[in-house]
Amino acid sequence: MSNSFVNDDVYNNLVDGQWVSSETGKTIEIKSPIDNRIVGKVQSMSTKEVDEVFKAAKKAQTMWRNVPVNKRADILYKAAKLIEESAEEIAEIMIYEIAKDKKSSVSEVKRTADFIRFTADTVKNIEGGSIPGESFPGSDRNKISIVKREPLGVILAISPFNYPVNLSASKIAPALAIGNSVVLKPPTQGSISALYLAKLFHEAGVPRGVINTITGRGSEIGDYCVTHPLVDFINFTGSTQVGQHISKITSMKPLLMELGGKDAAIILEDADINDAVKNIISGAFSYSGQRCTAVKRILVMKSIADELVSKLKYSISNLKVGNPTEGDMDIVPLIDDKAADFVEGLIEDAKKKGADLVIGGNREGRIIYPTLFDNVTLDMRIAWEEPFGPVLPIIRVNNVDEAIAIANNSEYGLQSSVFTKNINNAFYVADKLEVGTVQVNNKTERGPDHFPFLGVKSSGLGTQGIRYSIESMSRLKAIVLNIKNN
Ligand code: NAP
Ligand code: G3H
């Protein structure tokens, strides 16, 4: 037991307003993907301790739901300010913990502060309303339904390694805003950055028990957390594999899930090729392609494919590859050896099956050099699997309908892009793609954060985005007035 955030590089958990260590004495070493140095240690909590967290969250929520929304919003504004002021400090942790470069880390933290402020603005304007009964046949003027929004209770927020701050806060802020309490289970690799975030919410005045954290490996305590009887809602971002597992083992628990993707960029004959290249490069390769919305395959009309490939090759050769401690980099070490081995396996499979390696294909430790394959065929793993790494396959197609058919013949359905100067063609493609969002003449991406963000098929369940997240983590309550006329 301790009451400090960190003691000798060992980070504690926020439980019922106190920073506590685990009674088991078990900790997990967080090693940097850059050079294996120990960034710090986090607690490996026991199931008994997990019970205490959920009990505290349940108790606190009954108080928090009654705090007026303007007061809850004020605390969020304060949290946003503290987070923004700490951007450099948090970024220093992120650089080592998840190997994200400084510019991207600072930008993730600042985007998070904007997200929280916008959430506070939005929740104050979440409308309820009244519905007159008289509009329904047979009803009269004496019935009125007053409809308002209620929180769900205890939200279990589970976030992934690639945005440990932003994808934790994008669950925490809307959940708190509408009156839920939160238990955050951050990714193990990324947990120190996420614990820092929780500390700032706590310092901003979120009352004890309303925000709590649980650290420990998902493989050890994950199932226990998601099936815990005191959890009212699970908001999960991560792999499709873990998402599907959670969905199988939970029952009667509402779920919001943002999972994997295989976002396609479809390049039509009349596209502005230079603009498409610029978008594809940043969409596919930033943070080494470790983004759910990374551009993960190109479907290009044969007539313009040579030009596209040669321009992509040139731009890829100019990407900055290296350790994020040495400056802002496009390509950084992947999160762990397993991830790098997986991506290498996809590269070897494509080579073996006869894809043309245009550039890259090599590896140094956890760094996979940015790789472009041309003439990828549909029997290759890289045509369908999500690499979560800097490897981009080009599939040449004869016409737009072939591109749409290949794009849709995927287990995933997060986003897709279409590049064309013809608005009619853009709408033709957008209408037929089985995804949550179609970007016209832009890379696939989540923001701006008040837009709806969702995946279909194996890419997710439910909708995020500031207003949508608030709505997902709340329910309607109707109070019906029955006016008696004497
Ligand atoms: P992951 O391995 O699925 O882990 C995500 C989170 O789930 C981590 O906090 C992890 O904890 C936890 N977890 C693992 N097993 C669990 C279990 N049995 N029960 C409950 N929680 C469990 O994903 P990742 O490697 O961090 O992230 C990469 C993947 O996430 C990619 O597939 C990517 O596409 C997807 N992603 C999707 C979106 C989106 O918005 N669609 C955004 C970001 C990432 P531990 O770290 O302790 O294992
Ligand atoms: O990794 C998944 C994130 O939700 C993607 O967000 O498009 O802003 O990089 P982003």
Side-chain angles (χ1 to χ4, degrees), residues 211-463:
I211 179 166
N212 309 274
T213 63
I214 290 177
T215 53
R217 297 218 179 267
S219 53
E220 289 173 18
I221 49 151
D223 289 7
Y224 190 77
C225 291
V226 296
T227 53
H228 201 283
L230 295 182
V231 171
D232 295 300
F233 185 91
I234 300 168
N235 190 337
F236 173 85
T237 303
S239 61
T240 294
Q241 195 192 6
V242 173
Q244 286 174 339
H245 168 73
I246 292 174
S247 158
K248 274 196 194 106
I249 64 171
T250 51
S251 64
M252 293 299 284
K253 276 226 204 286
L255 304 170
L256 180 55
M257 293 201 164
E258 297 298 342
L259 308 174
K262 186 70 181 170
D263 295 1
I266 298 177
I267 322 295
L268 302 189
E269 274 168 348
D270 66 347
D272 176 336
I273 300 271
N274 292 332
D275 184 52
V277 167
K278 192 172 90 212
N279 273 283
I280 292 167
I281 293 293
S282 93
F285 295 107
S286 57
Y287 190 41
S288 294
Q290 296 175 113
R291 293 167 51 247
C292 57
T293 49
V295 173
K296 289 175 184 144
R297 48 194 172 138
I298 304 295
L299 301 166
V300 58
M301 300 305 131
K302 275 187 180 152
S303 56
I304 53 162
D306 286 345
E307 185 187 356
L308 182 80
V309 170
S310 120
K311 288 184 168 168
L312 284 174
K313 180 180 179 186
Y314 175 76
S315 297
I316 291 171
S317 69
N318 286 317
L319 288 174
K320 282 181 273 164
V321 180
N323 283 333
T325 45
E326 289 154 15
D328 291 329
M329 298 287 166
D330 304 294
I331 304 295
V332 290
L334 294 186
I335 197 68
D336 55 29
D337 290 335
K338 198 169 144 219
D341 292 347
F342 177 75
V343 177
E344 195 176 27
L346 293 177
I347 292 174
E348 291 313 315
D349 177 77
K351 281 183 186 165
K352 202 171 71 198
K353 291 180 181 153
D356 296 326
L357 179 62
V358 178
I359 188 169
N362 47 328
R363 169 181 179 179
E364 265 173 50
R366 293 181 190 121
I367 294 186
I368 302 273
Y369 278 75
T371 301
L372 184 68
F373 279 111
D374 192 6
N375 292 308
V376 166
T377 49
L378 302 185
D379 57 331
M380 298 176 190
R381 289 176 57 202
I382 194 64
W384 307 110
E385 293 181 37
E386 178 187 44
F388 231 58
V391 183
L392 186 62
I394 305 238
I395 300 172
R396 295 179 177 225
V397 293
N398 293 302
N399 56 55
V400 65
D401 291 310
E402 186 185 349
I404 292 166
I406 295 172
N408 285 343
N409 189 19
S410 165
E411 67 164 308
Y412 297 111
L414 191 55
Q415 295 203 351
S416 282
S417 294
V418 53
F419 289 89
T420 172
K421 289 187 194 127
N422 183 321
I423 192 71
N424 296 319
N425 290 342
F427 268 81
Y428 178 81
V429 175
D431 184 54
K432 292 190 161 42
L433 288 173
E434 294 161 7
V435 292
T437 303
V438 177
Q439 302 273 355
V440 177
N441 294 323
N442 203 79
K443 66 186 177 189
T444 42
E445 63 183 357
R446 175 167 44 121
D449 291 331
H450 63 312
F451 283 5
F453 180 58
L454 66 155
V456 301
K457 301 197 267 186
S458 294
S459 289
L461 279 181
T463 305

